[in-house]
Amino acid sequence: MSDTPAPGPAVPQDPVPDTRAPGPPRFPRAWRADAPVVAAVALGGALGASARYAAVLLRPAAADAFPWTVFWVNVAGCAVIGAFTVLVTEGARTPHPLLRPFFGTGVLGGFTTFSAYALDIHRLHESGEPLLALLYLAGTLAAALAAVLLGAASARLALRGRRSR
Amino acid sequence: MNWLLVIAGALVGAPLRYLTDRAVRLRLRPGSVLPWGTFTVNVAGSLALGLLTGAAVAGPAGERLDLLLGTGLCGALTTYSTFSWETLRLAEDGSPLLAACNVLGTLLAGLAAMYAGVALGGALQG
């Protein structure tokens, strides 16, 4: 290896100004700007996941039985996200900008789970309970969608009641 | 100790879901309404939990991995609440067909990822 510098054009002292249209924010800059949001999501997620772990510790399910604990965790989380999101997006007051990332994305997102749902369907199927697996698959879906709809509808009713008073 | 493992996993999983969702949204065409971000994390989290389960690491190390990566990371990375909320939004916005596509697509891809993950994890374990 020689130490002679590679020949090439001289580097201009003043760089040409960047006239490109600003694109979507790149990750490093977005990271810094969004650090409080990411932290709120992380903190909320840790709280939500701990609550789910507590529920599973309190009421563990057998491998070949209907996973009632995760079922109710998911259904409850769906009811609350329906009500909460309507209250913060359709209510009269503008909520704190970190409230939705913390509670909606963090706590409720960390509390509810799709991966454990899919694993329990697989486990029931593999342990010779295909009918129970199918019942759990469809039952969680139906109850979760009904819960999010009911949560949203009752929050809208509450908002309307408050406005008409 | 067990609680710390779940918390540590969730501290990574939940922001990973948020950042993945945002990264996916930035790459979608402006007219796209399907919630591909949530779809992505739910399928990826199911695949990862399947791999972990299929590999079935034995003993106390396996239990710790289950709590850190399974209950904590995959549990917080995936979500049923946002999936339900986004499905409701699609239906309310007058696209019941897209809402049904979101449900069927998420279930089919998520379960396929779970079954593939368990099989692959088992094969890797030997």
Side-chain angles (χ1 to χ4, degrees):
Chain A
M1 292 295 272
S2 69
D3 287 333
T4 42
V11 180
Q13 287 306 302
D14 296 308
V16 181
D18 192 354
T19 51
R20 285 172 301 175
R26 293 273 148 231
F27 257 123
R29 202 181 338 146
W31 253 104
R32 247 172 294 147
D34 276 357
V37 179
V38 172
V41 171
L43 198 69
L47 277 174
S50 301
R52 170 164 43 83
Y53 181 52
V56 172
L57 281 183
L58 284 172
R59 294 192 176 273
D64 55 350
F66 193 93
W68 282 112
T69 308
V70 176
F71 172 87
W72 284 118
V73 161
N74 279 334
V75 173
C78 287
V80 176
I81 206 168
F84 169 76
T85 314
V86 163
L87 289 178
V88 296
T89 56
E90 299 172 20
R93 276 194 300 166
T94 309
H96 191 280
L98 289 182
L99 179 62
R100 206 175 161 190
F102 172 74
F103 192 73
T105 312
V107 174
L108 295 175
F111 185 57
T112 63
T113 172
F114 187 88
S115 52
Y117 164 72
L119 180 63
D120 280 335
I121 292 169
H122 178 273
R123 187 175 290 155
L124 286 173
H125 185 193
E126 291 295 297
S127 60
E129 299 280 359
L131 216 65
L132 209 55
L134 210 61
L135 197 68
Y136 178 57
L137 191 164
T140 298
L141 179 69
L145 292 179
V148 78
L149 182 67
L150 277 175
S154 31
R156 286 196 181 114
L157 264 179
L159 284 177
R160 204 173 306 158
R162 195 181 300 169
R163 262 183 228 124
S164 62
R165 234 182 288 143
Chain B
M1 182 62 187
N2 288 353
W3 287 92
L4 288 182
L5 291 168
V6 173
I7 288 169
L11 280 175
V12 174
L16 196 59
R17 167 163 43 81
Y18 169 74
L19 292 169
T20 303
D21 186 54
R22 210 182 48 177
V24 168
R25 273 172 207 273
L26 283 176
R27 277 154 188 79
L28 287 180
R29 281 178 291 119
S32 182
V33 287
L34 277 175
W36 287 110
T38 305
F39 173 88
T40 304
V41 290
N42 278 342
V43 174
S46 299
L47 180 72
L49 186 60
L51 280 170
L52 183 71
T53 307
V57 180
E63 280 168 34
R64 275 186 225 124
L65 268 182
D66 273 349
L67 289 171
L68 178 73
L69 301 180
T71 310
L73 191 115
C74 291
L77 175 66
T78 63
T79 172
Y80 219 96
S81 49
T82 305
F83 161 66
S84 297
W85 169 257
E86 287 169 344
T87 301
L88 176 69
R89 281 300 301 269
L90 284 173
E92 283 184 343
D93 290 349
S95 332
L97 198 69
L98 285 180
C101 284
N102 186 45
V103 166
L104 278 180
T106 300
L107 286 181
L108 282 177
L111 287 174
M114 172 57 67
Y115 278 74
V118 173
L120 199 63
L124 289 177
Q125 178 79 342

